[in-house]
Amino acid sequence: MQLYTFLDWFFTIASALMAILLGYYVSGSACLLGLLFYLIYPFIIECSYNILSEQEEIIIRKMPEIPIVYHENYNITACGIEKWHPFDSCKYRNVYKQIRSRIKAQHFTPSMLSRGTLLYLGLSRWYLLKMCYSAYISTLIELPVFFLPGAFLRSSLLDPMLLATSGSIYAAKLALEKGWAINLSGGYHHASLNGGGGFCIYPDITLVVNYLKKCQNLNKIVIVDLDAHQGNGYERDFLQDSSVYIIDFYNSYIYPGDHEAEQAINCFEHVDRNTTDEQYITRIQRNLEKHLQDDMEFIIYNAGSDIMAGDPLGNCCISPAGLQKRDEVVFKWANHKKIPILMLLSGGYQKENTYAIGESILQLIP
C-alpha cells in the first residue's frame, strides 16, 4: 500500500504541474488536459495494482505474549482536519498507553494486507476505485473535504483505517490461537463490501467473517454488536447468509435507520437514554444465554463505547461501570461456551470514553 500511496501522490502532482504548464505555455483551455489526466489516472493505477497485487497468506510469525493488536499508525492526524469530526480519531493511542502503563507484555503489531488479499476476501473493485476521489470520500466521512487531493486523504485517512482493518483480520487469527483477541481499533460496522458511510470506510467485520470461512473453514459465526448504532454495513453483506448469526443492540431512533439491513438481524434489542445499566446488562445476559449455541465457532464482538452517557451521537445513558460489566459479561459467555472471541473498539465520540475502554480491557486480560 505504501507503493500505491506513492504513485497516487506522484500522479496527483504530475497532473497539477501539467495543468499549470499547459495553461501557461499553451492556453487556458489546454490546462483541462491536466484535469482530465487527474480524473483518469486512478483507473490506470487501480487496474495495474489489482492485477499485480497477489493474495498473501495471513501468518503470525511470532506469537505475542498477549493477543492485543495495535499499531501507532491507527491514529488519524490529517493536519487537524480530524478535529472537525466528533469521532476521537486518536483514542487508540490513549487506550494503548493506558494498557501499557499497567501491563508490559508484548502485543502484536500488524502489517497492511495486500490488495490481492482484500479482493480475495470480497472487497469490491468498483468501491476501491471510487475511493480514489475525495468527493466520494467526503460522503463516507461526512466532512466537506472534496477540495483535497485524493492522495492526501489516502495517506492521512484511508491508510490508517486500512491498517486497522488488517489488524482486525490478524486479530481473528490470534483469537483462534489464544481463545480471545482485541484489536484496538476497527469495528467499521457501517461499511459493506460495496460501500461505506458513517465514518466507516473498510468493512473489517465482513472481511473477518470471509477470512474465517475461506481460510479457516469455519461455518457458524456470530456477530455481537453492542455499539449504539445499527451495524447495517455487514448486515447488508449477510442478508442471504444464514451461517452468520447477528445479535445487534442499538438505538433505533438514530443513524442509520437501515430497514432493509434489519432483515439480517437474528436478535434485536432497542437501547436509548431511558435504558439503565441494570436493564442493559440483564438483556445482554438473557439474549446471550438464549442465542449463543454450542455449535457456534467464533464470536466477533463489536464493542462500541458510544452507549455511554454524554456521547453526542449515541443518545444512550450507560455508565462507565455498565460498559465494563457489559464487556465482562460477553467475554464470560464466550469463555463459558468455549468460543473464540474477537473484540473491536468501534464507535465512541467523547474523550471520556477512552479511560472506560482502557479499564474495561484491563479487566479482561487474564
Side-chain angles (χ1 to χ4, degrees):
M1 285 300 167
Q2 287 78 5
L3 175 61
Y4 187 102
T5 303
F6 170 78
L7 292 174
D8 207 354
W9 271 113
F10 175 81
F11 284 111
T12 297
I13 295 170
S15 59
L17 288 174
M18 180 186 295
I20 293 170
L21 293 174
L22 287 173
Y24 184 79
Y25 289 106
V26 183
S27 67
S29 58
C31 74
L32 294 176
L33 288 174
L35 177 61
L36 178 63
F37 181 67
Y38 175 76
L39 292 175
I40 65 173
Y41 85 77
F43 286 90
I44 300 171
I45 62 173
E46 276 288 324
C47 291
S48 302
Y49 201 73
N50 290 345
I51 292 171
L52 297 174
S53 182
E54 298 180 350
Q55 178 196 347
E56 62 183 291
E57 187 177 357
I58 298 169
I59 300 174
I60 297 176
R61 301 190 184 281
K62 183 179 180 181
M63 197 62 61
E65 295 174 286
I66 55 171
I68 299 288
V69 178
Y70 172 75
H71 196 295
E72 176 61 23
N73 291 340
Y74 280 1
N75 302 281
I76 299 170
T77 53
C79 299
I81 294 173
E82 73 283 355
K83 296 177 182 178
W84 297 356
H85 197 280
F87 187 77
D88 182 7
S89 60
C90 291
K91 72 177 182 181
Y92 319 116
R93 176 187 296 124
N94 296 328
V95 170
Y96 173 72
K97 286 181 177 178
Q98 187 176 343
I99 294 170
R100 288 292 292 176
S101 68
R102 285 156 60 181
I103 295 180
K104 305 301 181 184
Q106 180 191 28
H107 72 285
F108 179 78
T109 303
S111 58
M112 200 176 289
L113 294 175
S114 70
R115 174 63 63 86
T117 303
L118 298 175
L119 293 174
Y120 173 72
L121 295 178
L123 198 56
S124 163
R125 287 179 170 84
W126 174 239
Y127 179 42
L128 288 168
L129 175 62
K130 289 193 292 184
M131 282 193 285
C132 293
Y133 299 98
S134 54
Y136 179 67
I137 296 172
S138 294
T139 66
L140 304 182
I141 63 174
E142 301 170 1
L143 287 175
V145 293
F146 52 85
F147 58 90
L148 293 172
F152 173 78
L153 292 178
R154 178 175 300 282
S155 58
S156 61
L157 177 68
L158 299 189
D159 281 356
M161 288 188 172
L162 185 53
L163 182 59
T165 295
S166 301
S168 294
I169 298 171
Y170 277 108
K173 185 171 182 63
L174 273 176
L176 290 172
E177 296 285 340
K178 297 278 193 175
W180 66 278
I182 301 173
N183 184 24
L184 298 184
S185 186
Y188 304 130
H189 63 162
H190 299 309
S192 71
L193 294 172
N194 300 298
F199 209 68
C200 296
I201 307 292
Y202 297 100
D204 64 326
I205 293 177
T206 296
L207 294 174
V208 166
V209 172
N210 290 348
Y211 163 73
L212 293 171
K213 288 185 170 189
K214 290 185 173 184
C215 302
Q216 300 294 334
N217 298 315
L218 301 189
N219 295 312
K220 295 204 70 174
I221 298 161
V222 58
I223 300 171
V224 178
D225 193 341
L226 302 184
D227 186 276
H229 299 82
Q230 177 193 359
N232 63 314
Y234 65 80
E235 288 167 4
R236 283 183 168 270
D237 287 331
F238 301 122
L239 273 169
Q240 307 301 324
D241 190 344
S242 59
S243 68
V244 180
Y245 198 91
I246 297 173
I247 299 172
D248 198 353
F249 285 33
Y250 59 89
N251 187 341
S252 56
Y253 300 145
I254 61 174
Y255 178 90
D258 191 333
H259 299 300
E260 180 182 353
E262 286 175 1
Q263 299 174 45
I265 300 173
N266 301 100
C267 169
F268 161 69
E269 288 278 355
H270 173 76
V271 182
D272 60 26
R273 64 181 61 194
N274 295 315
T275 306
T276 66
D277 284 9
E278 184 178 355
Q279 291 170 333
Y280 185 56
I281 299 303
T282 299
R283 291 178 192 175
I284 292 171
Q285 290 176 322
R286 181 179 67 241
N287 282 287
L288 291 179
E289 182 177 7
K290 178 180 179 181
H291 295 283
L292 280 189
Q293 305 300 320
D294 292 334
D295 61 344
M296 290 177 171
E297 299 171 293
F298 198 93
I299 296 172
I300 300 172
Y301 173 35
N302 201 44
S305 61
D306 48 4
I307 52 104
M308 284 178 56
D311 194 283
L313 299 184
N315 288 329
C316 294
C317 199
I318 304 303
S319 70
L323 179 83
Q324 294 175 36
K325 182 63 177 177
R326 177 198 72 173
D327 295 346
E328 179 188 359
V329 166
V330 175
F331 265 65
K332 279 188 174 180
W333 269 104
N335 184 59
H336 173 67
K337 292 288 186 178
K338 295 181 172 54
I339 306 173
I341 182 170
L342 162 63
M343 176 176 170
L344 307 171
L345 295 196
S346 199
Y349 306 95
Q350 57 181 347
K351 295 188 183 298
E352 292 82 356
N353 294 19
T354 301
Y355 182 77
I357 295 169
E359 289 301 300
S360 185
I361 292 174
L362 284 165
Q363 70 162 347
L364 299 174
I365 299 174

